[in-house]
Amino acid sequence: MKLGTGLFTCQRRPDDGRSSSEVYDEMLTLGRAIDGAGLDSAWVSEHHFTEDDYLSGTMPALGALAAVTEDVELGTCIALAPLYDAVRLAEDVATVDNISGGRTTLGLAIGSNPDEFDAFGVPREERVDRLTDAVNVCRAAWSPGPLEYDADFHDVSPEVNVTPKPAHDVPVMLGGSAKPAVRRAARTADAWCAPSALSVEGVRKRVEDVRSVREAEGLDGDFGIYVLQHGFVADSAEEAWDAMADGYLYLQRRYAELFSGESVDSLSDERVAELREQAIFGSPETVVGELERYRDALGDDVHVVLRTYYPGIGTDRMVECVERLGRDVAPHLH
């Protein structure tokens, strides 16, 4: 069982007096800590045009993380595939993969925020087709020789040879919890990522569906399962919750705004209780026990991405959490 962390969003809360450059320095400090702690992966996330400067440039961020790390897998969780020129995306991923020495994973999803699609001039009704096309373009671009793929949404000659090629076979991971999204991942990707809102049983049912689809359609080869969840490690549940709560609930308010298009100043008591119940936090022993539930349900090959990056809660506090994950949690999962 693997354990990674992130997701670096680089948001600046209204009460955060730091510059954006200082927030990005924090990301690199945490990247070094993740690598030094012996964790398996570090991840960035993407949104656009937000008042709190949510990270928009996934590939530049991964390139910077690649330069300050040596061993960890580096990935997007998630890049919004329909908003990219797929050939440029393939080039950028290949560049990051060479900088990192072959440690990149490309996580993609269809996106949902209407404002982002409107700003980029991309029809939302095309987002599923654009995602599939982007996966096909990237794989064709990374293969030896010319593209040899007639893209549906990108006016580029199949004779174009995208260079450089990646340093390794870059896995493509797709996100989403709805049945069509899960089955799309099973058919077209190398991995699927379960979103944090799903219970262990919800993840198990979808993994069962993935395996059934792949077996029924004769799809061979390894297929990765990633699970995204929020959490934190401290001496006790109370201490962990106190450390993460402000940043965690801030994130959830901003996500609620992104998905609804309406201002969200506060969360109901019921929603806060639900979010607290979903998260994995507490002493190392408690966190190990909760993570082992995923291994018991899904098998040893599951890769959990425990989100411990929370805007504005303090770099030192997050570094300490990362170090404890590496020292007190990860060894019990391998």
Side-chain angles (χ1 to χ4, degrees):
M1 183 176 183
K2 292 184 177 181
L3 180 63
T5 191
L7 274 53
F8 295 121
T9 63
C10 297
Q11 292 159 276
R12 275 193 308 134
R13 288 162 44 174
D15 58 352
D16 189 341
R18 294 175 299 170
S19 67
S20 292
S21 293
E22 290 172 310
V23 174
Y24 279 85
D25 283 342
E26 176 181 73
M27 176 184 72
L28 300 182
T29 296
L30 289 164
R32 294 184 188 97
I34 293 166
D35 200 47
L39 296 178
D40 294 296
S41 59
W43 302 81
V44 301
S45 183
E46 171 185 1
H47 278 294
H48 298 268
F49 319 121
T50 65
E51 292 183 0
D52 62 0
D53 297 344
Y54 197 117
L55 188 147
S56 58
T58 57
M59 292 304 132
L62 287 185
L65 286 167
V68 300
T69 59
E70 295 182 357
D71 296 316
V72 294
E73 175 184 348
L74 300 170
T76 53
C77 189
I78 295 288
L80 304 175
L83 306 184
Y84 286 85
D85 178 293
V87 175
R88 288 302 304 272
L89 176 61
E91 290 180 326
D92 288 347
V93 172
T95 300
V96 171
D97 199 54
N98 280 287
I99 293 171
S100 69
R103 295 186 280 127
T104 311
T105 294
L106 178 61
L108 300 172
I110 60 174
S112 61
N113 187 310
D115 292 341
E116 291 175 320
F117 282 85
D118 290 344
F120 279 96
V122 174
R124 288 183 78 247
E125 63 270 17
E126 294 178 354
R127 56 191 179 144
V128 172
D129 292 337
R130 283 178 177 270
L131 168 64
T132 303
D133 195 50
V135 172
N136 291 335
V137 168
C138 285
R139 285 186 168 149
W142 297 333
S143 299
L147 195 65
E148 294 185 351
Y149 174 73
D150 188 9
D152 293 330
F153 295 97
H154 307 278
D155 188 15
V156 59
S157 170
E159 298 176 0
V160 165
N161 187 14
V162 171
T163 58
K165 304 301 181 184
H168 85 312
D169 292 332
V170 177
V172 176
M173 175 184 78
L174 297 186
S177 60
K179 181 177 289 188
V182 174
R183 294 187 169 185
R184 186 183 311 120
R187 293 185 175 103
T188 65
D190 304 297
W192 171 67
C193 182
S196 58
L198 289 178
S199 66
V200 174
E201 178 61 15
V203 177
R204 188 199 64 77
K205 288 180 178 179
R206 287 161 176 81
V207 170
E208 187 177 81
D209 196 23
V210 165
R211 291 169 177 164
S212 296
V213 168
R214 291 182 64 79
E215 181 179 357
E217 300 188 12
L219 300 171
D220 298 324
D222 294 335
F223 189 89
I225 301 298
Y226 292 79
V227 174
L228 188 63
Q229 193 51 269
H230 287 272
F232 215 78
V233 180
D235 289 336
S236 66
E238 181 179 0
E239 184 178 327
W241 180 253
D242 286 345
M244 69 180 285
D246 283 349
Y248 176 39
L249 299 178
Y250 172 84
L251 271 178
Q252 297 305 316
R253 292 196 301 273
R254 299 292 78 79
Y255 282 135
E257 290 178 344
L258 281 167
F259 299 144
S260 70
E262 300 177 356
S263 178
V264 178
D265 295 326
S266 62
L267 301 171
S268 67
D269 291 344
E270 292 79 9
R271 179 58 176 157
V272 171
E274 180 183 39
L275 290 168
R276 178 170 176 144
E277 179 66 24
Q278 289 174 1
I280 297 173
F281 60 91
S283 68
E285 294 78 13
T286 297
V287 172
V288 168
E290 289 296 307
L291 293 178
E292 284 181 334
R293 295 175 62 216
Y294 288 99
R295 183 171 61 187
D296 293 343
L298 307 174
D300 292 337
D301 293 335
V302 64
H303 189 144
V304 175
V305 179
L306 189 66
R307 295 187 67 166
T308 61
Y309 177 81
Y310 299 111
I313 71 167
T315 307
D316 291 345
R317 181 179 271 175
M318 289 187 282
V319 166
E320 181 180 358
C321 176
V322 165
E323 291 174 344
R324 297 192 73 167
L325 281 175
R327 183 181 67 244
D328 302 328
V329 175
H332 298 282
L333 303 175
H334 293 157

